[in-house]
Amino acid sequence: MNKPMRRVGIAMITMVVLLLANITYIQVVKADQYRTDSRNQRVLLDQYSRQRGSIVSQFDGQVLADVTETDDKLRFLRRYANGPMYAPVTGYYSVRYGSGGLERAEDDILNGEDPRLLVRRLSDMITGRDPRGGNVQLTINPAVQSALYNSMTSKGYTGAAVAMNPKTGEILAMVSTPSYDPNALASHDGDDQQQAWSRFSDDPKNPMLNRAISETYPPGSTFKLLIAAAELENGATADTPVSNAPNVKLPGTNVTLENYGGEVCPGTTFKDALAHSCNVPFATFAGQLGADKLRQTAANFGLGAPLSIPMNVVPSSLGDLDSQAALYQSGIGQRDVRLTPLQDLMLSATIANGGMAMKPQLIKKLLAPDLSDLQSFSPQELTGTPALSPQNAAVLRDMMLASEANTKGGGKRGNIQIASKTGTAEHGTDPKATPPHAWYTAFAPAADPQIAVAVIVESGGNRGLEATGGTVAAEIGRAAINAQLGGG
Amino acid sequence: MSQPPLPDPAAAVYASNPPRELPTRRGTELAMLGFAAFIVTCAFVLVQANQEQELSWSIVWYGLAYLGLFAIAHAAVRRWAAYADPLILPSVALLNGLGLVMIYRIDLAMAERATKASRDFTAAAPKQVLFTALALALFLAVLIMVRDHRTLSRYGYTAGLIGMVALALPALLPSSLSEVNGAKVWLKLPGLSIQPAEFSKILLMIFFASFLVAKRDLFMIAGRKVLGVELPRARDLGPLLIAAAVCLLVLVFEKDLGTSLLIFGIVLVMLYVATERAIWVVTGLAFFVVGCLIAYQLFTHVEQRVANWIDPLATYSNQGGGYQIAQGLFGLGTGGVGGTGLGAGRPDIVPEANTDFITAGLGEELGFIGLAAILMIYLLLATRGMRSALAVRDTFGKLLGCGLSFAIVMQVFVIVGGVTKLIPMTGITTPFLSYGGSSLLANYILVALLLRISDAARRPAQRARPKQPPQQAPLAEANTVMVNRPPAGGNQAGEPTA
């Protein structure tokens, strides 16, 4: 009986060797694959227990996001000051749902894994200090941000507002309403996180959508700035005569395109047409310029090109422009033309900057944990090709000053010269019965622009079908200008 | 066998003298137990340090409980199985201790979670200490009551009957009395729940051993040749086949695939050892394959297990999918070669971390090195058992010892193989490591029997101690006694003639 028993003994050894071989395969060969699997919470939890860097404003060093030490396993709780106000800027950081917005875009710096932080990490390891993440300094001006956020939310508007320094491309504010509180997602309580997540994602108003860069809208009359720039570059002047007819027939169709309210345009020059936002002249201009010239000008404004600030910006688009009728309708920012609010802002900002589009940027500096500089960002031209000459930019600025003079709405200050353009964009399947989007894009002071701003209030805000860019959106844009220029 | 004995002077001395007294090796056992206690204590301290807790008094209480229990076990072995293998008990003590540390460590994580969710939490570790105490009491009882393992062979059929009834009981009882978390393998008594299958496994081994020993010659001689293979007569094989079939059917109805695989493997091995015919293994495996195919067709849960085995990551988010196995693999992968360190990993993410998946947790925190070491301890334990079985003189002891030793490795293979995706996952306990009373109690009984067999194997056949001449009472105080007639051919003291 000993012989089979010895064989059983060998079988036992074989079984254990099989197990050993298998765990070698799993823990040595395949270990990395399992360790880095996105569903493996361990790595994430490890990261979450590291002291994450802060997100601060370049003005007054105001802190938008930082951590506070807790006594639970995750050690550091992410905190957002004024969470909903800055959520479109900061994004969120959640154990269960990962990260979004800037938290994701600059994750390597914030969690300390960026190669530029490697040396410090090594020294931390040697000195036994807990590794920490780097910090991100933003271009955001809290005064402008809160002015925009408060005016949007005080009236319960759904929409977005962006402001930037037209000379540098530094984004001064980025607001999207309604917003959400990233603090709820950062909670260390799994159930709280889950509740917050479903509350935000089930909300039909989609508070987690960053409307400023992730949503496109028909720009309406604000798009006339682009047509005007193309027309000026094409040789027109402020005094070029235009038709004041109340409507024009779209070529190749029986449909007519009307001025706002079907009115006769109060003037007969190019300048009057922009000042009163008459549709007929701009539709005609677009038709005359043709698709290629429009596309060229649009491209020089940065329209359609991929952009990251460093969050990715959804590209704006002109649509197909496949017929004269399409060109006519596109000329007033309708049909298939769709812009992000940021791109709409870049129309006025480029004009403010003498015709050269600057690359929008949200980050001023990347800082090491000890606040020493890792990288500073300097202003960059967006395309390198001016969208219009400085002379034409000045002409267009004056036309926008006239437009502002015709624009109603509150918030005007006598001492600040604003150049602006409003827009009232039809949308939806039944445009005449759907409250229009109200737009306002502007820069100030006209002589030496310090701030450009674009505002969209979706579906008429609180004015319904009667809403116009001037009555709904202008007041919000002016609030931002006043905040930046110290007008209060 | 036919070799003439060598004229070895040592052999001559051996033959002419009474056998030398074999060392009992109890000192070795004590030293190894001390070593095990040292490792377990270090593990405990590490857990507490890594969990950023101050070293608390619990370390002292757990430590004292551990030392106390194994001191008693050691004393019992010294007293009642003095010649037992010196490595078996320390191996068990180390495994049991590491299990306790891991259960305690998972308690800490679970307690923290519960506090955060403001839920109530009952720690498992104190209960496991209690189970260990109970198990050691049972261990003592077996050592004391079973003075000679051969007596067990007399109760073969009784053991088989009780074993089968216990195995079948959960299947027959209503779910309210037998089901916990969907597994219908329990016997819920007021105050405690037990898994009778754990005990059945030992009773059935006793039955198989005694049955096979009794019928061994019949199997080997009284068969017919079929296709050149000698098969035993059906009536000799009948009870064995019936018992095996009943076990398997019961387990299929209870959906307890792990235990059924375990018992099947043990029966096969014992049959092979008893008959010395490999054809049994081949036939058995053929039956097994057919059975697997049928089960795969019939039962969705078998199909599911197989799908989870092939690719747990693909079925990750399915109902009853590979989530648990995948989490176990993530843990093992994160642990890598060196592990995260005790108390520094997150084994609590894996569901059932302190029972079925305790090896995943150990693999995460101790790494490949630690897990391999644990597997080697099991192998050591089983091979020491096997060695004793080889050395013991009676066939029943051999067969039982072989079955018990193989059962240890088989359990480890089934569960660790399942956790590490070597074979489809079937839920059984990891002997001595995982949390649970029945498993611990049963496996301590198993170890007590192994120790008993190894004691019998190493105990000198004859009392080595030279017999004292019978004490004579001083003549003055001597009673008048009837003088017995000396037995024919024997000496005065009634000692067997050598």
Side-chain angles (χ1 to χ4, degrees):
Chain A
M1 231 160 101
N2 283 1
K3 209 167 105 188
M5 283 173 73
R6 289 213 163 84
R7 290 209 178 120
V8 170
I10 292 168
M12 296 189 329
I13 295 171
T14 313
M15 285 160 88
V16 173
V17 168
L18 271 176
L19 287 176
L20 286 172
N22 192 47
I23 62 168
T24 311
Y25 178 65
I26 285 173
Q27 297 204 272
V28 182
V29 182
K30 295 250 286 181
D32 269 340
Q33 191 192 322
Y34 287 129
R35 183 171 34 229
T36 54
D37 191 291
S38 60
R39 291 165 290 195
N40 186 0
Q41 302 167 48
R42 290 171 183 82
V43 181
L44 204 64
L45 287 171
D46 201 40
Q47 246 178 42
Y48 279 78
S49 56
R50 197 180 302 163
Q51 187 171 350
R52 192 172 175 82
S54 300
I55 302 176
V56 299
S57 150
Q58 71 164 317
F59 293 90
D60 324 325
Q62 194 166 331
V63 176
L64 310 184
D66 66 352
V67 292
T68 173
E69 208 156 345
T70 63
D71 50 10
D72 61 31
K73 189 86 207 200
L74 292 173
R75 289 189 60 201
F76 296 103
L77 175 69
R78 195 67 162 161
R79 280 190 317 189
Y80 298 90
N82 280 319
M85 183 187 291
Y86 288 101
V89 176
T90 58
Y92 59 90
Y93 185 72
S94 163
V95 179
R96 189 172 292 211
Y97 299 100
S99 53
L102 196 72
E103 293 273 25
R104 178 187 284 178
E106 288 299 336
D107 193 39
D108 278 357
I109 288 287
L110 291 166
N111 72 23
E113 272 170 16
D114 190 278
R116 284 167 286 183
L117 292 170
L118 183 70
V119 179
R120 284 178 184 82
R121 266 213 341 264
L122 287 177
S123 77
D124 283 350
M125 210 184 289
I126 293 159
T127 57
R129 242 180 337 174
D130 280 333
R132 290 159 60 193
N135 304 302
V136 175
Q137 192 186 61
L138 300 184
T139 56
I140 292 290
N141 181 349
V144 181
Q145 180 85 7
S146 63
L148 283 175
Y149 183 76
N150 291 335
S151 11
M152 290 289 281
T153 51
S154 63
K155 297 195 170 119
Y157 290 159
T158 300
V162 219
M164 72 183 212
N165 181 337
K167 292 174 180 167
T168 60
E170 290 177 7
I171 294 175
L172 299 170
M174 182 159 66
V175 165
S176 173
T177 57
S179 190
Y180 66 99
D181 189 353
N183 282 309
L185 294 174
S187 162
H188 283 185
D189 184 320
D191 292 340
D192 284 359
Q193 277 183 53
Q194 197 174 8
Q195 276 172 24
W197 181 266
S198 45
R199 191 169 72 240
F200 298 151
S201 52
D202 294 346
D203 189 335
K205 295 206 157 189
N206 204 354
M208 289 182 73
L209 173 69
N210 185 351
R211 294 173 168 77
I213 57 172
S214 303
E215 180 71 300
T216 57
Y217 300 92
S221 300
T222 55
F223 194 66
K224 287 171 185 161
L225 293 176
L226 190 146
I227 304 294
E231 186 65 19
L232 287 170
E233 285 295 292
N234 202 35
T237 65
D239 300 322
T240 302
V242 297
S243 157
N244 68 346
N247 61 54
V248 61
K249 208 172 111 196
L250 294 181
T253 70
N254 290 321
V255 186
T256 56
L257 188 153
E258 298 179 335
N259 285 340
Y260 184 76
E263 291 166 28
V264 172
C265 194
T268 54
T269 63
F270 186 10
K271 187 173 180 176
D272 297 333
L274 190 87
H276 295 102
S277 200
C278 301
N279 285 339
V280 174
F282 283 92
T284 322
F285 283 153
Q288 288 163 358
L289 285 163
D292 290 345
K293 278 200 174 144
L294 280 191
R295 283 193 199 285
Q296 187 52 54
T297 309
N300 292 340
F301 276 100
L303 208 147
L307 177 65
S308 95
I309 61 168
M311 295 96 95
N312 284 333
V313 180
V314 168
S316 303
S317 152
L318 291 181
D320 288 340
L321 302 178
D322 51 2
S323 66
Q324 278 300 103
L327 277 170
Y328 270 54
Q329 287 175 307
S330 303
I332 59 165
Q334 296 285 173
R335 198 161 170 122
D336 297 331
V337 183
R338 292 188 74 89
L339 264 52
T340 56
L342 179 67
Q343 180 63 57
D344 201 76
L345 165 65
M346 282 159 67
L347 298 183
S348 56
T350 303
I351 296 160
N353 194 39
M356 181 59 85
M358 299 304 290
K359 186 178 185 298
Q361 56 189 39
L362 190 55
I363 297 177
K364 182 76 180 170
K365 268 180 194 170
L366 299 178
L367 306 168
D370 57 8
L371 300 182
S372 60
D373 284 9
L374 282 183
Q375 189 183 354
S376 297
F377 291 87
S378 46
Q380 256 182 302
E381 290 172 355
L382 183 61
T383 59
T385 316
L388 67 168
S389 67
Q391 299 76 20
N392 283 337
V395 172
L396 195 46
R397 178 196 66 207
D398 292 342
M399 290 161 79
M400 288 171 75
L401 281 169
S403 169
E404 172 71 6
N406 284 330
T407 304
K408 289 172 288 201
K412 285 200 189 190
R413 307 240 163 195
N415 56 345
I416 299 175
Q417 268 206 312
I418 298 177
S420 78
K421 183 73 197 83
T422 56
T424 308
E426 290 179 347
H427 64 107
T429 43
D430 182 8
K432 298 290 173 204
T434 311
H437 293 323
W439 282 99
Y440 181 72
T441 181
F443 60 88
D448 178 25
Q450 302 294 318
I451 177 174
V453 63
V455 177
I456 178 172
V457 177
E458 280 184 28
S459 301
N462 55 8
R463 301 261 177 133
L465 284 169
E466 299 303 308
T468 62
T471 52
V472 176
E475 185 175 2
I476 294 163
R478 290 180 192 130
I481 290 168
N482 295 337
Q484 171 72 16
L485 301 179
Chain B
M1 278 304 181
S2 56
Q3 271 184 336
L6 293 168
D8 181 8
V13 170
Y14 191 82
S16 64
N17 284 340
R20 282 173 304 146
E21 187 158 0
L22 270 177
T24 59
R25 300 270 186 228
R26 294 279 66 84
T28 315
E29 183 178 85
L30 188 60
M32 294 307 280
L33 273 172
F35 184 49
F38 173 72
I39 295 176
V40 171
T41 311
C42 290
F44 240 128
V45 171
L46 267 176
V47 163
Q48 291 214 331
N50 272 329
Q51 290 279 304
E52 288 173 41
Q53 294 202 338
E54 289 172 23
L55 297 185
S56 64
W57 281 106
S58 64
I59 241 181
V60 177
W61 297 128
Y62 281 113
L64 285 179
Y66 180 82
L67 285 178
L69 287 172
F70 284 98
I72 293 169
H74 173 70
V77 173
R78 234 174 227 280
R79 171 77 181 77
W80 285 292
Y83 287 91
D85 189 288
L87 289 182
I88 291 179
L89 191 63
S91 301
V92 169
L94 183 52
L95 289 168
N96 197 163
L98 287 176
L100 255 176
V101 169
M102 200 63 197
I103 292 165
Y104 172 76
R105 186 251 168 284
I106 287 163
D107 271 353
L108 291 180
M110 292 298 184
E112 195 181 288
R113 278 199 202 181
T115 326
K116 245 188 280 174
S118 51
R119 266 183 284 118
D120 281 336
F121 172 77
T122 12
K127 276 205 219 158
Q128 184 75 354
V129 174
L130 193 68
F131 288 143
T132 310
L134 276 176
L136 278 166
L138 219 51
F139 170 89
L140 246 68
V142 172
L143 273 190
I144 293 168
M145 291 195 323
V146 184
R147 300 306 286 270
D148 185 342
H149 62 270
R150 281 170 297 186
T151 51
L152 289 173
S153 70
R154 281 187 239 143
Y155 305 107
Y157 281 93
T158 320
L161 191 67
I162 298 174
M164 273 196 280
V165 169
L167 197 59
L169 217 48
L172 302 173
L173 287 175
S175 290
S176 62
L177 291 175
S178 64
E179 194 168 316
V180 177
N181 292 336
K184 202 167 150 54
V185 293
W186 295 85
L187 207 57
K188 285 205 269 187
L189 304 172
L192 80 159
S193 304
I194 53 172
Q195 274 181 297
E198 293 281 353
F199 300 95
S200 295
K201 139 186 110 190
I202 293 171
L203 291 170
L204 289 170
M205 273 189 268
I206 294 172
F207 162 68
F208 289 133
S210 73
F211 176 84
L212 288 167
V213 166
K215 301 272 185 175
R216 188 164 171 251
D217 294 340
L218 283 173
F219 279 0
M220 296 175 79
I221 298 155
R224 274 179 305 159
K225 272 208 165 181
V226 177
L227 298 170
V229 178
E230 282 191 36
L231 288 182
R233 292 178 303 179
R235 64 162 182 255
D236 298 329
L237 198 55
L240 187 75
L241 283 181
I242 292 169
V246 166
C247 293
L248 293 184
L249 275 179
V250 161
L251 291 165
V252 165
F253 282 113
E254 289 171 12
K255 297 188 175 180
D256 187 359
L257 300 172
T259 312
S260 106
L261 184 61
L262 178 66
I263 291 180
F264 190 85
I266 294 169
V267 172
L268 213 59
V269 159
M270 291 175 77
L271 202 54
Y272 168 65
V273 170
T275 60
E276 306 191 15
R277 294 249 154 73
I279 187 69
W280 288 110
V281 180
V282 177
T283 324
L285 286 177
F287 271 116
F288 178 72
V289 171
V290 173
C292 284
L293 289 175
I294 293 171
Y296 184 80
Q297 298 294 327
L298 284 183
F299 304 109
T300 45
H301 70 280
V302 177
E303 206 183 317
Q304 225 168 34
R305 294 273 170 96
V306 173
N308 296 346
W309 167 55
I310 291 168
D311 191 355
L313 298 181
T315 60
Y316 183 81
S317 39
N318 297 1
Q319 182 76 26
Y323 175 81
Q324 189 178 19
I325 295 177
Q327 285 299 340
L329 292 175
F330 291 160
L332 289 169
T334 310
V337 176
T340 58
L342 266 176
R346 295 179 189 274
D348 52 299
I349 293 175
V350 186
E352 288 176 55
N354 61 11
T355 55
D356 290 4
F357 274 71
I358 196 160
T359 40
L362 286 163
E364 177 178 349
E365 299 209 322
L366 299 177
F368 166 74
I369 297 170
L371 193 52
I374 287 171
L375 292 178
M376 296 312 286
I377 300 171
Y378 277 116
L379 187 59
L380 179 70
L381 176 59
T383 46
R384 296 305 287 201
M386 198 55 124
R387 223 176 88 124
S388 307
L390 277 165
V392 83
R393 295 167 195 87
D394 65 300
T395 24
F396 174 74
K398 276 178 183 298
L399 211 45
L400 183 61
C402 177
L404 295 172
S405 309
F406 183 75
I408 294 172
V409 172
M410 187 73 186
Q411 288 185 76
V412 173
F413 184 76
V414 169
I415 184 63
V416 178
V419 169
T420 58
K421 205 175 88 74
L422 182 64
I423 57 170
M425 179 69 197
T426 57
I428 65 165
T429 53
T430 324
F432 308 110
L433 283 178
S434 48
Y435 170 71
S438 307
S439 160
L440 211 55
L441 262 52
N443 280 308
Y444 267 98
I445 295 173
L446 190 156
V447 163
L449 293 176
L450 264 188
L451 283 175
R452 174 53 70 221
I453 290 171
S454 79
D455 178 53
R458 293 184 68 247
R459 188 179 291 275
Q462 242 178 340
R463 279 266 155 237
R465 216 176 304 136
K467 276 285 167 192
Q468 303 285 320
Q471 285 284 317
Q472 288 281 325
L475 198 58
E477 295 169 27
N479 301 333
T480 338
V481 288
M482 285 268 276
V483 175
N484 288 323
R485 178 202 290 263
N491 57 17
Q492 193 69 34
E495 266 190 279
T497 39

